[in-house]
Amino acid sequence: MKKAILTTTSLMLVLLAVMSLTACDNHNDKYPKDYLGFEKFLENYTFERGVESREITLKVIAAEKTDTERKATISIKNLPGRQPAYTLLDKEVTIAPKKKTAHVRIRIYPAKIQKSDEVRLTCTPKDKKVKATTITLKLAVK
């Protein structure tokens, strides 16, 4: 009986070791291999109305590390006829060689937000083969 348990345990350990080795291919399966864009596609923020401004940071990621730097432009579409409740502080982002992340800053003005507001940012990589991505920020005030 002890021998059967020991054999079964040994086989399970070997199986787990093989599975863990094959799972580590240094690639995030949630994104395409050449992905360069926002980490998330939707984020919610709630602000106090009395705050004059608040800076938030959004993460831009690449699915894989490379030996060259990668650049992307960040843009916001403003709705016509509305006073924007935000300012984009970084219009271009650069992911350094051997790195997978960079950050984009946006300043929010809670006093200018109506009940709720949506901001759509677009990340357009300089590499024409990589598609642009969009993040939606849902802004609300208390």
Side-chain angles (χ1 to χ4, degrees):
M1 181 71 172
K2 286 183 182 180
K3 189 173 182 178
I5 293 173
L6 185 60
T7 304
T8 305
T9 304
S10 299
L11 286 174
M12 290 300 290
L13 288 174
V14 169
L15 181 62
L16 283 173
V18 169
M19 286 174 42
S20 67
L21 288 175
T22 58
C24 297
D25 64 353
N26 201 19
H27 178 67
N28 191 343
D29 289 335
K30 288 180 13 179
Y31 304 101
K33 187 176 181 177
D34 59 349
Y35 183 81
L36 174 65
F38 293 108
E39 179 181 39
K40 297 179 181 175
F41 301 105
L42 174 69
E43 288 197 29
N44 295 306
Y45 292 95
T46 303
F47 303 98
E48 296 285 334
R49 184 160 302 275
V51 176
E52 187 175 321
S53 70
R54 182 167 161 220
E55 189 174 297
I56 60 174
T57 304
L58 305 171
K59 190 183 277 189
V60 175
I61 63 166
E64 293 186 345
K65 295 179 183 179
T66 63
D67 293 332
T68 59
E69 71 178 20
R70 290 157 291 177
K71 293 187 179 204
T73 57
I74 308 298
S75 60
I76 295 180
K77 284 190 176 181
N78 292 323
L79 294 174
R82 289 190 61 186
Q83 180 75 18
Y86 45 81
T87 302
L88 183 62
L89 300 175
D90 301 316
K91 294 185 185 332
E92 186 172 279
V93 65
T94 302
I95 298 179
K98 306 281 187 198
K99 299 288 183 186
K100 290 176 73 172
T101 62
H103 294 90
V104 174
R105 297 172 303 138
I106 183 171
R107 180 160 291 131
I108 307 294
Y109 302 100
K112 294 181 180 179
I113 298 174
Q114 306 303 323
K115 279 187 172 180
S116 63
D117 205 352
E118 279 191 5
V119 179
R120 284 189 168 73
L121 285 91
T122 303
C123 176
T124 308
K126 299 285 183 172
D127 183 0
K128 301 293 182 194
K129 295 182 286 184
V130 182
K131 292 182 181 179
T133 60
T134 303
I135 185 172
T136 301
L137 307 177
K138 293 195 176 202
L139 310 176
V141 289
K142 290 183 185 177

